[in-house]
Amino acid sequence: MTAAGRLLAVLDAFSPGRRVLTLSEISRKAGLSLTTAHRLAGELVTWGALERDSDGRYRIGLHLLELAALAPRGLELRELAQPFLEDLFHSTRAHVHLAVRDGYEVVYVETLRARGAVSVLSRLGQRWPLHATGTGLALLAHADRDLQEKVLSSPLKRFTPKTVTDPRVLRRTLAEVRRTGIAVAEEQLTLDGVAIAAPIRGRGDEVVAAIGLVVHVDECEPRALVPVITACARGISRTLGAPSAKGTPGAIKGS
């Protein structure tokens, strides 16, 4: 493993379920000796990528957040989209997700959780397979054909009895998403939850992100939410400079 690889392995030891780690845990998760882990963790603390508590445990440092803010698909996108996400949240009282694709996974760069709504597993920064979420389907449907075929030919994990794992069915689903501009994932990640998502386009009209809603399966007809989520996606796309979104409403009003 290269020197850079060892540093990245230390950072990769952390995850949503492992936010605070001891040096021994970092050593084990990163596959490094205790001595090497101690030296690298010290360098990362000095640089600001890690912080060390008074009890000797480590957590991710703020300098990584500063760097993440420079990513156009991360905090910058989140900042530009925030007014539209809040309008969507207040008009629907549903969970709202803003997501981007990273390889074969969807990553949530913003989440707004509705109090008393259906239970969801997703949180800020979390990753899920593209085939099992509404935003993931919206992104996969507009990805290049080679990537789609790689996803379709790989083992598709089943999360609930309704998760689509048949490549033939998934291929038809992606075609429908492209035709309608909307992805619907009913109880595919969690039972009782329905996700509705729409693609967000960038300056070259390419799909750069997706906006999603999650509601209880018995709360409403998912298609009834299509106009508001489409308006939100177009508003964000227009802010990003997408030619096809020019002249469309930029916010959602009403309740």
Side-chain angles (χ1 to χ4, degrees), residues 34 51 75 117 153 178 251:
L34 199 59
E51 295 176 357
L75 296 182
S153 62
R178 289 190 293 272

Side-chain angles (χ1 to χ4, degrees), residues 120-139:
V120 291
L121 299 176
S122 53
R123 60 167 84 75
L124 182 64
Q126 192 160 21
R127 296 169 175 266
W128 293 100
L130 290 167
H131 72 282
T133 69
T135 49
L137 289 172
L139 292 165

Side-chain angles (χ1 to χ4, degrees), residues 67-88:
L67 292 178
L70 303 177
R73 295 197 307 151
L75 296 182
E76 182 180 344
L77 170 64
R78 180 184 176 192
E79 183 177 340
L80 291 173
Q82 196 68 37
F84 302 96
L85 302 181
E86 291 176 357
D87 278 349
L88 183 63

Side-chain angles (χ1 to χ4, degrees), residues 9-10 13 18 21-34 37:
V10 170
R18 302 192 302 266
L21 297 175
T22 65
L23 185 62
S24 295
E25 290 170 332
I26 292 175
S27 172
R28 185 172 64 256
K29 297 291 183 183
L32 302 170
S33 70
L34 199 59

Side-chain angles (χ1 to χ4, degrees), residues 3-253:
R6 289 191 289 272
L7 280 170
L8 293 174
V10 170
L11 294 174
D12 205 39
F14 295 84
S15 70
R18 302 192 302 266
R19 296 171 182 262
V20 182
L21 297 175
T22 65
L23 185 62
S24 295
E25 290 170 332
I26 292 175
S27 172
R28 185 172 64 256
K29 297 291 183 183
L32 302 170
S33 70
L34 199 59
T35 301
T36 300
H38 182 267
R39 176 175 58 82
L40 295 178
E43 292 179 10
L44 290 169
V45 168
T46 300
W47 187 75
L50 292 181
E51 295 176 357
R52 190 169 183 266
D53 294 341
S54 58
D55 60 0
R57 298 189 302 169
Y58 296 84
R59 65 180 73 243
I60 293 296
L62 289 177
H63 194 44
L64 287 183
L65 180 62
E66 294 176 54
L67 292 178
L70 303 177
R73 295 197 307 151
L75 296 182
E76 182 180 344
L77 170 64
R78 180 184 176 192
E79 183 177 340
L80 291 173
Q82 196 68 37
F84 302 96
L85 302 181
E86 291 176 357
D87 278 349
L88 183 63
F89 177 76
H90 290 302
S91 66
T92 63
R93 297 296 175 182
H95 301 301
V96 176
H97 299 311
L98 177 66
V100 298
R101 181 179 64 81
D102 187 23
Y104 303 145
E105 297 175 310
V106 59
V107 181
Y108 293 100
V109 295
E110 179 60 294
T111 63
L112 300 179
R113 291 182 176 239
R115 183 176 300 176
V118 63
S119 177
V120 291
L121 299 176
S122 53
R123 60 167 84 75
L124 182 64
Q126 192 160 21
R127 296 169 175 266
W128 293 100
L130 290 167
H131 72 282
T133 69
T135 49
L137 289 172
L139 292 165
L140 181 58
H142 294 90
D144 64 71
R145 189 57 58 89
D146 286 345
L147 186 138
Q148 289 181 18
E149 291 305 318
K150 287 177 181 178
V151 171
L152 290 168
S153 62
S154 66
L156 299 175
K157 184 176 179 179
R158 184 182 297 277
F159 294 91
T160 76
K162 290 194 175 183
T163 305
V164 176
T165 58
D166 185 330
R168 294 169 298 179
V169 176
L170 185 55
R171 188 174 279 107
R172 291 196 296 270
T173 298
L174 297 178
E176 181 69 7
V177 172
R178 289 190 293 272
R179 186 184 71 82
T180 63
I182 292 292
V184 178
E186 184 173 340
E187 298 183 294
Q188 292 207 49
L189 190 59
T190 58
L191 293 175
D192 299 332
V194 179
I196 307 98
I200 295 170
R201 297 181 180 274
R203 190 172 298 277
D205 258 346
E206 75 284 10
V207 172
V208 296
I211 181 73
L213 289 171
V214 182
V215 298
H216 194 280
V217 68
D218 296 325
E219 277 185 2
C220 68
E221 167 55 44
R223 294 293 173 181
L225 296 171
V226 169
V228 290
I229 197 169
T230 299
C232 182
R234 285 177 176 171
I236 299 172
S237 298
R238 187 182 66 176
T239 301
L240 294 176
S244 63
K246 290 181 179 178
T248 58
I252 301 164
K253 302 300 181 185

